[in-house]
Amino acid sequence: MGEATREAAEAAIDVLLQERREFPPSAEFASGAVASDPGVYERADADLDGFWLEQTREFLTWATPPAQGLDWDPPHCTWFADGALNVSANCLDRHVEAGRGDKVAYHFVSEPEDEDDRAITYADLLADVCRFANALRGLGIGKGDVVGLYMGMVPELAVAMLACARIGAPHVVVFGGFSAEALGERLESTGASLLVTQDEAWRKGGRVPLKVTADAAIELAPTVEHMVVLRRTGADVPMQDGRDVDWAAFVDGQADTCPAEPMEAEHMLFALHTSGTTAKPKAVVHTSGGYLTYVAVTHRWIFDIKDDDVYWCAADIGWVTGHSYIVYGPLANCTTGVLYEGDPMYPAPDRHWDIIERYGVTQYYTAPTLIRAFIKAGPEHPAGHDLSSLRLLGSVGEPINPEAWVWYWKYIGGERCPIVDTWWQTETGGIMISSLPGLVTAKPGSATRPFPGIRAAVFDERGNPVAPGSGGYLTITRPWPGMFRTLYQDDERYVSNYFSRYGHSTYFPGDGARQDAEGDFWLLGRVDDVMNVSGHRLSTIELESTLVEHPAVAEAAATAAPDPLTGQTPLCFVLLRAGREPSDELAAELREWIGEKIGKIARPKAVIIVDDLPKTRSGKIMRRLLKDVAEGHELGDTTTLRDPAVVEDLKRQTDAVLRPKDPPAGV
Ligand code: PRX
């Protein structure tokens, strides 16, 4: 952070929105909840080691049970370091051995309707994993060898991950929407020797050419010696003799059993790059014992997982949400899940509601950006389906605007399902701040309380706790088992990026937050999303939430434009709901709306009505580009954008409003 920004960041973040609605769990939900003992918070806080040792023994099966809990040499830690276990055996073998082999692990739903839908049992998954693991061994891959995975949302991706875990080969999954350059960089920097991919992936009825992209990527990653190619669409793709092999041929003749070697608890399970809003991706390293313990416990308690549930996390396995809450957490808990291959709006905006109805989904976990897209599409889509099987909803990825929260509650949850707003990151491995749904009263827009054993605090620039109600910097002041251990081959950056601001004992996630008088946490977005208007610090999320409350607005993005008088002034972009027409009058009305709702200080210089917002492939608004647009700079790197054309349009409109070439007559 530069000196000027540092100066500006010193005061607390002004909090202007006050959301007062509260949603306590119903008596019925609370009495049947998996996590129902309010004493768990105090117990975990008082005896961190005892708490986590007890959980890991209850949730996992260790080949050598650990006697050790946390070993903390700030900023490095280990958990359960004297224990050994195999992650894939914990996700598969022990369930099959307990007679649960026929339980469905995944209901796979293919994007082309009804084409390849199938139920995959725990026994099926174990056999597939063993065959793939044996084939990997046949290629000479073993403990410590990095394997790259570049696939769509197909069950084989989970198979490949678990096969890697079985033999101790760390995986590096790269989201299937990434470019050749992004993939190549991720493979090269982690030294992957094998890449598993597929011919093509289905997306929005079209085909994503994964193999062709992978071919271009490995030009940049000379360590990759082999490629395994799953046939998904059956397209004719180039195969290089001696280097590339079909998935089917690769596993052909392999035994469906394979010994699951115990790994030490701290053995690296995977590295995963943080999603691309920063320039150079960081490869976050997660372990076997601590990570699996953390995702299993958080999954069961936060999503209130019971044996007959059908749980659906609608994220992509290519992101951490999919790693932790589609693959490792749910499988460790022997959960039945839905794995949907395709786009939520394909072939129509009710695809998710159709799947929920068809499979009787009980828990549904998605991101605010998608909820806003559903709002835009209209409540008639969920209304056309029976969603009564749902009993819990989740949100992740960004702060959820209170209006979106309430829409989700009403139209998806039928005013019946608790909503867990789960704050966490790639680095944290699992959910850090979220309600336990049977114990904690939800407040729209608040992630509520740190998970048992997690200590979070809001600090000012100097590391002093800020008063309740004031904004500041979120910090985590004690380690947890799911914590990342380092950045792959870049420990220096691990220390400087995350553990320098407040000393080596305090993790700095880079988010702003406030705590209310009851101790609940309200996330305010990344700290560089904070602007300074006449010495008042405004969080972009508050402006966005206010705009989304307006009946014409589906989605909003706020940034700061330079202003000679006030330093910065908000500039907002909005997407209208279906049926609303853009007009100068409406733009002016929206500007006044913010002035009225938050105060004149927040009234934006302009509200610009746009057709789309510049988003990363994971659906996050790329704020760095909004800033470039607002400041009239050349656009920075746009390669991680879903649609680079969008930002050009924004720039054109913004320049016309902020920097008109022909000043109006009379000026
Ligand atoms: O800014 C926070 C936001 O997403 C960031 C982490 O992004 P990533 O590593 O890609 O992981 C996303 C899925 C866990 C955080 O620093 N974020 C995530 N969840 C929330 C959130 N912001 C507010 N509320 C949340 N529930």
Side-chain angles (χ1 to χ4, degrees), residues 199-539:
D199 50 5
E200 297 173 323
W202 290 115
R203 198 73 196 174
K204 291 187 190 165
R207 294 150 176 262
V208 184
L210 294 180
K211 173 65 165 68
V212 170
T213 308
D215 282 342
I218 68 169
E219 295 291 314
L220 309 167
T223 52
V224 177
E225 291 165 15
H226 292 283
M227 264 204 258
V228 175
V229 183
L230 175 77
R231 297 288 169 177
R232 177 69 189 109
T233 65
D236 188 18
V237 293
M239 296 289 281
Q240 188 174 308
D241 254 6
R243 186 194 70 183
D244 303 347
V245 56
D246 262 20
W247 177 296
F250 188 57
V251 298
D252 187 39
Q254 296 291 350
D256 59 6
T257 57
C258 169
E261 224 180 287
M263 306 286 155
E264 56 279 19
E266 285 293 308
H267 181 68
M268 173 177 165
L269 178 64
F270 66 85
L272 182 66
H273 295 83
T274 55
S275 46
T277 41
T278 50
K280 188 180 180 306
K282 302 191 277 277
V284 166
V285 171
H286 283 291
T287 59
S288 303
Y291 170 82
L292 194 65
T293 303
Y294 196 69
V295 296
V297 179
T298 49
H299 175 252
R300 194 184 297 167
W301 290 4
I302 292 170
F303 298 106
D304 195 52
I305 298 298
K306 307 209 172 120
D307 199 35
D308 52 359
D309 279 332
V310 180
Y311 155 91
W312 183 15
C313 167
D316 194 288
I317 294 178
W319 309 122
V320 74
T321 307
H323 281 57
S324 300
Y325 298 112
I326 296 178
V327 180
Y328 290 113
L331 294 180
N333 288 328
C334 198
T335 309
T336 293
V338 168
L339 191 74
Y340 171 52
E341 179 178 35
D343 188 86
M345 300 291 166
Y346 182 85
D350 69 340
R351 187 72 195 264
H352 277 198
W353 320 132
D354 179 60
I355 293 171
I356 290 173
E357 179 173 10
R358 186 130 42 105
Y359 292 94
V361 170
T362 45
Q363 290 95 342
Y364 175 73
Y365 187 31
T366 191
T369 180
L370 193 55
I371 297 167
R372 291 192 297 266
F374 291 139
I375 296 174
K376 188 168 176 219
E380 63 274 21
H381 297 289
H385 293 274
D386 176 4
L387 305 181
S388 61
S389 58
L390 287 171
R391 57 181 198 84
L392 181 133
L393 302 173
S395 171
V396 60
E398 54 180 313
I400 180 166
N401 331 85
E403 286 316 301
W405 195 105
V406 171
W407 189 94
Y408 198 31
W409 161 263
K410 187 166 172 193
Y411 292 105
I412 308 306
E415 303 186 342
R416 170 188 82 246
C417 304
I419 297 180
V420 290
D421 175 2
T422 63
W423 178 87
W424 59 296
Q425 308 177 295
T426 306
E427 292 87 339
T428 68
I431 297 166
M432 301 290 283
I433 304 180
S434 161
S435 53
L436 287 174
L439 289 173
V440 177
T441 291
K443 301 172 183 174
S446 169
T448 73
R449 298 181 66 167
F451 195 75
I454 303 297
R455 270 191 199 158
V458 181
F459 284 175
D460 67 12
E461 178 69 19
R462 295 191 173 81
N464 302 309
V466 302
S470 305
Y473 302 100
L474 178 66
T475 59
I476 309 291
T477 57
R478 207 155 81 152
W480 64 101
M483 171 171 158
F484 66 140
R485 300 298 194 258
T486 187
L487 295 177
Y488 191 73
Q489 292 180 346
D490 198 355
D491 195 58
E492 219 170 281
R493 197 170 173 209
Y494 167 82
V495 179
S496 65
N497 213 90
Y498 302 103
F499 291 95
S500 311
R501 194 172 184 131
Y502 298 117
H504 283 181
S505 301
T506 301
Y507 172 60
F508 174 59
D511 278 17
R514 72 179 163 95
Q515 256 185 301
D516 64 22
E518 292 165 307
D520 286 322
F521 284 81
W522 299 71
L523 278 302
L524 300 172
R526 304 291 300 167
V527 290
D528 45 9
D529 297 343
V530 169
M531 62 184 96
N532 188 324
V533 181
S534 304
H536 293 271
R537 329 203 103 248
L538 305 180
S539 154

Side-chain angles (χ1 to χ4, degrees), residues 577-627:
R577 290 192 189 210
R580 302 299 295 239
E581 289 303 320
S583 69
D584 291 347
E585 287 73 16
L586 180 56
E589 182 185 325
L590 292 172
R591 197 172 159 260
E592 286 310 319
W593 171 266
I594 293 189
E596 275 164 32
K597 289 265 173 182
I598 302 187
K600 278 202 183 121
I601 181 77
R603 194 166 59 190
K605 183 123 181 164
V607 173
I608 298 177
I609 300 172
V610 294
D611 292 328
D612 207 348
L613 293 168
K615 290 192 183 156
T616 63
R617 288 166 213 269
S618 63
K620 283 197 205 309
I621 293 170
M622 214 148 158
R623 299 185 177 278
R624 159 171 81 66
L625 289 178
L626 291 181
K627 246 187 178 156

Side-chain angles (χ1 to χ4, degrees), residues 81-93:
D82 60 341
L85 83 176
N86 184 284
V87 168
S88 92
N90 270 278
C91 291
L92 303 170
D93 305 49

